[in-house]
Amino acid sequence: MSADQSKAIPRPTPETRPFWDGAAAGELRIQRCVACARHYFYPRPVCPHCGSSDVEWVTASGRATLYSYVISHRPAPGFAGDGPYAIAVVELEEGVRMMTNIVHTEITPENLALDMPLRVVFEPRGDVHVPLFEPAGEAS
Amino acid sequence: MTAVIIGAAETDEVGRLPEHSAFRLHLEGARNALADAGLTKDDVDGVATVGTPGPVQVAHALGVTPAWLDGTSVGGTSFLFHVRHAMAAIEAGLCHTVLVTHGESGRSRVGAPPRAFGPDSLLGQFELPYGTMGPATTFTVTALRYMKETGLTHEQLASVAVAQRRWSSRNPRAAMRDLVTVDDVLASRLVAYPFHLLECCLVTDGGGALVVTSRERAEALGTRKPPVYVLGAGESAESPIISQMEDFTTSRSFRLSSQAAFAEAKITHGDVDHLMIYDAFAHVPIYGLEDMGFVGRGEAGAFIAEGHTSPGGRLPMNTNGGGLSYTHTGMYGMFAMQESIRQLRGEAAAQVPGVEVGVVLGNGGMFMSAATLALANRLP
Ligand SMILES: [Zn+2]
């Protein structure tokens, strides 16, 4: 596979390293402010809610709901073999949102209802693992 | 004190210009705006433009010795920010006459900056791994949530493109001039569901510039064209990545920048004769109409579909055809301002009768930043 055919591989920075280390370990790690007890995303050293630097890493449940999405018909490098794919924003049980792809279901508007339950899965990508989400079904 | 726009012009042509570098488009816009104002480069002591090529290179190439520079680069609305910053600088006595320039080889990519984001950037870590391909796959991601919350239909979303084609059909410079129906829009190919090709902006080459000065200097110089007064302005920003926009159904920076502009201008919605809302994609004018307060929540789709922003409607909007049908170089804000100024001067291709007050809402990035200008051809 040539470089232009592979999906983009994120490169961690010191601030985001715990997130990517968590993904490699099969855990979705996000930050939580000790001072105001709220979670936030993307990784950064200061709580955006209260300004405190007293923040910690926690492991999220991995449960989420589908907040919004598009179905891309113009594949990015590495995505051509996937057919139309869902670029989604999901809302974690902890209240924060992140962009992801929806996988393990046929990507159609009928199959992707907003607010449907999802759970995280991890896809190896180069030397990191990328968090993706799949339908959780009624059992979740 | 009121700032006055005394010169405004676009490049000779917009569209596909493979013989023009982005830098040349800046200089052509500047030349045309200075000629429009009846000034020379020696009358200018301030230069503002986005980071690439930046105000130093533009000032140097024009032979301007600047006493003030602004390189604010916050997306396609940056040029509205520059006007607001120029107002403040002129009022503070930092400079007296500011040139704001735009030039972009968005289609031909001649002398254009690279679009790359590193794999360790915010986008490189939290967007690009999911196969995003620029604005068509990120700016658009809010729309389904808006549709679910408000009941906006696919047909109403398509009607934004229909309405703007009614305007561009009257504008010989517009790239797309054939009238279209809702069915035509919905039959165009899907780019990123729910967005079809005709609901996405063009990608073109072009540029333009403005000359901003004080009311006192405008009167002393004697303007060639009717002066356009900047009655009020506002700016704000939200998230650098779309996933962190706090509510996918409303833009905080649209709300805050327009509230500030309306308050400073001391105008109400009923005073506004003409409106420009940056339309990179069909949902953006819908958010803009609601977030600026022209209609209530969830009402903008029907408002546009019923023709109220179309020719003959009570709130003419995006009368050049907008980014969907006129031109969209990538940073469209300059063109939204140019059309507002043409309407206020009475020289637009699709002129609306009796325009005295116009409002321009500029968007930057993917609901990342916004600025609003309230303009008028008379003082209150
Ligand atoms: Zn906090």
Side-chain angles (χ1 to χ4, degrees):
Chain A
M1 184 181 280
S2 69
D4 62 339
Q5 291 173 318
S6 57
K7 295 181 180 180
I9 301 170
R11 183 191 300 153
T13 59
E15 292 79 23
T16 66
R17 172 68 68 186
F19 175 83
W20 296 109
D21 285 349
E27 293 184 357
L28 187 63
R29 292 181 192 158
I30 58 173
Q31 285 168 297
R32 179 182 172 277
C33 175
V34 174
C36 75
R38 282 178 282 189
H39 297 85
Y40 65 91
F41 184 81
Y42 49 95
R44 51 205 195 271
V46 179
C47 170
H49 303 294
C50 75
S52 173
S53 296
D54 187 7
V55 299
E56 62 181 0
W57 285 91
V58 298
T59 299
S61 71
R63 285 188 292 271
T65 55
L66 182 55
Y67 184 60
S68 200
Y69 67 93
V70 293
I71 298 176
S72 177
H73 289 257
R74 213 178 49 158
F79 282 81
D82 294 10
Y85 56 100
I87 298 169
V89 174
V90 300
E91 183 164 310
L92 304 188
E93 195 170 56
E94 291 77 11
V96 304
R97 297 190 194 124
M98 62 178 62
M99 186 171 277
T100 189
N101 296 130
I102 307 301
V103 295
H104 304 153
T105 185
E106 192 186 351
I107 301 302
T108 63
E110 296 70 29
N111 255 355
L112 299 174
L114 296 200
D115 303 314
M116 66 189 281
L118 304 165
R119 68 176 158 243
V120 72
V121 295
F122 296 93
E123 177 187 277
R125 180 93 55 95
D127 52 0
V128 301
H129 286 67
V130 175
L132 308 177
F133 284 79
E134 64 178 12
E138 298 306 315
S140 67
Chain B
M1 198 203 74
T2 306
V4 185
I5 298 169
I6 58 169
E10 298 180 359
T11 46
D12 295 346
E13 295 176 81
V14 294
R16 188 172 172 275
L17 306 169
E19 301 305 316
H20 289 61
S21 69
F23 185 48
R24 178 175 164 184
L25 294 165
H26 275 268
L27 301 184
E28 188 176 303
R31 179 197 69 194
N32 291 351
L34 286 170
D36 183 78
L39 301 182
T40 73
K41 55 99 174 172
D42 294 325
D43 297 306
V44 173
D45 66 347
V47 174
T49 191
V50 291
T52 306
V56 172
Q57 192 177 332
V58 169
H60 182 257
L62 291 170
V64 169
T65 304
W68 177 88
L69 302 103
D70 182 7
T72 301
S73 201
V74 291
T77 187
S78 296
F79 315 100
L80 283 79
F81 280 68
H82 297 152
V83 170
R84 186 172 195 248
H85 300 174
M87 288 170 67
I90 291 165
E91 181 162 18
L94 305 183
C95 57
H96 56 69
T97 306
V98 172
L99 189 59
V100 180
T101 71
H102 166 62
E104 192 167 6
S105 183
R107 180 183 177 101
S108 302
R109 309 297 301 167
V110 182
R115 280 177 168 157
F117 294 95
D120 56 355
S121 66
L122 202 51
L123 266 67
Q125 294 188 72
F126 301 112
E127 283 194 356
L128 292 173
Y130 306 111
T132 59
M133 289 278 280
T137 49
T138 49
F139 207 166
T140 51
V141 78
T142 65
L144 285 181
R145 173 53 58 178
Y146 177 91
M147 293 171 85
K148 172 158 181 171
E149 301 280 335
T150 67
L152 178 80
T153 67
H154 292 277
E155 289 75 16
Q156 287 170 338
L157 184 63
S159 74
V160 176
V162 173
Q164 294 191 193
R165 214 42 99 71
R166 293 180 184 135
W167 288 112
S168 70
S169 71
R170 300 162 186 228
N171 182 357
R173 271 169 71 90
M176 306 298 279
R177 295 189 294 272
D178 293 337
L179 291 170
V180 293
T181 65
V182 166
D183 287 344
D184 292 333
V185 176
L186 296 178
S188 64
R189 71 178 171 82
L190 275 170
V191 173
Y193 173 86
F195 287 83
H196 305 79
L197 184 65
L198 295 186
E199 292 160 324
C200 303
C201 65
L202 304 162
V203 182
T204 63
D205 308 321
L210 301 176
V211 182
V212 184
T213 191
S214 65
R215 181 182 162 196
E216 291 70 23
R217 185 164 162 82
E219 288 171 357
L221 288 166
T223 53
R224 292 179 64 240
K225 297 284 185 67
V228 170
Y229 302 98
V230 188
L231 301 183
E235 69 187 61
S236 192
E238 194 174 340
S239 171
I241 51 176
I242 189 81
S243 63
Q244 303 309 307
M245 182 180 181
E246 66 187 8
D247 181 342
F248 272 21
T249 70
T250 174
S251 163
R252 188 183 74 191
S253 55
F254 282 11
R255 297 195 308 272
L256 295 179
S257 71
S258 59
Q259 285 164 16
F262 276 69
E264 186 182 16
K266 299 185 175 66
I267 59 168
T268 65
H269 296 87
D271 296 324
V272 178
D273 303 308
H274 174 260
L275 179 62
M276 296 298 293
I277 298 180
Y278 194 113
D279 60 321
F281 295 91
H283 64 317
V284 184
I286 291 173
Y287 284 60
L289 282 169
E290 295 181 11
D291 290 335
M292 300 180 91
F294 283 100
V295 298
R297 179 174 168 82
E299 295 175 358
F303 187 78
I304 293 169
E306 289 163 8
H308 298 304
T309 64
S310 290
R314 65 178 190 253
L315 184 58
M317 180 179 78
N318 295 347
T319 51
N320 56 355
L324 297 181
S325 289
Y326 174 57
T327 208
H328 195 295
T329 52
M331 304 183 82
Y332 170 76
M334 175 59 74
F335 299 99
M337 290 192 291
Q338 295 283 349
E339 173 66 8
S340 185
I341 293 161
R342 286 191 294 264
Q343 290 284 350
L344 289 161
R345 289 172 163 184
E347 59 184 28
Q351 181 65 43
V352 173
V355 176
E356 295 186 344
V357 175
V359 169
V360 187
L361 170 63
N363 166 83
M366 323 306 154
F367 292 118
M368 176 184 78
S369 60
T372 304
L373 301 182
L375 307 175
N377 57 16
R378 55 165 173 78
L379 288 167

